[in-house]
Amino acid sequence: MTKNINKNIDNKDWKEKNKIYLKELQNFFDKADNIEDNNLRKKIIGQMLKCDDILTKIAESRFEEFYRMGYKNAKKE
């Protein structure tokens, strides 16, 4: 069971195929490209990517939690 969960989470399709997410990400990078100070631009992009990574891990943890809960409940029935 855990192997299947991890395979689906590692796939990242849930995130990389989300058109709204991708649109907003592109909007962010378009705006960041307008920052003239190269050092500042890199820091802002790096920080945003760290936040995105943390949020992704939180979401994936919740996916796994709800999958396990659903699996457990289905076995009871």
Side-chain angles (χ1 to χ4, degrees), residues 2 6 8 10 15 19 21 25 28-29 33 39 44 50 52 58 62 68 73:
T2 301
N6 290 337
N8 288 332
D10 289 342
K15 181 177 173 182
K19 292 179 193 253
Y21 170 78
L25 187 62
F28 169 79
F29 283 116
D33 281 344
N39 191 38
I44 290 172
K50 286 178 188 177
D52 184 65
I58 291 169
R62 297 294 292 187
R68 288 181 190 281
N73 290 339

Side-chain angles (χ1 to χ4, degrees), residues 4 13 29 35 38 41 49 53-54 59 63 66 70-71:
N4 289 339
D13 278 352
F29 283 116
I35 300 171
N38 192 40
R41 179 176 50 250
L49 292 174
D53 185 53
I54 291 168
F63 294 159
F66 287 117
Y71 185 82

Side-chain angles (χ1 to χ4, degrees), residues 18-30:
N18 184 300
K19 292 179 193 253
I20 296 169
Y21 170 78
L22 294 174
K23 177 183 172 260
E24 295 303 326
L25 187 62
Q26 186 60 53
N27 284 339
F28 169 79
F29 283 116
D30 289 345

Side-chain angles (χ1 to χ4, degrees), residues 7-19:
K7 182 179 175 188
N8 288 332
I9 288 173
D10 289 342
N11 190 343
K12 303 244 186 287
D13 278 352
W14 67 272
K15 181 177 173 182
E16 293 172 357
K17 290 185 178 180
N18 184 300
K19 292 179 193 253

Side-chain angles (χ1 to χ4, degrees), residues 65-77:
E65 178 184 340
F66 287 117
Y67 179 87
R68 288 181 190 281
M69 188 184 318
Y71 185 82
K72 183 178 174 182
N73 290 339
K75 286 181 86 174
K76 287 182 183 178
E77 294 177 6

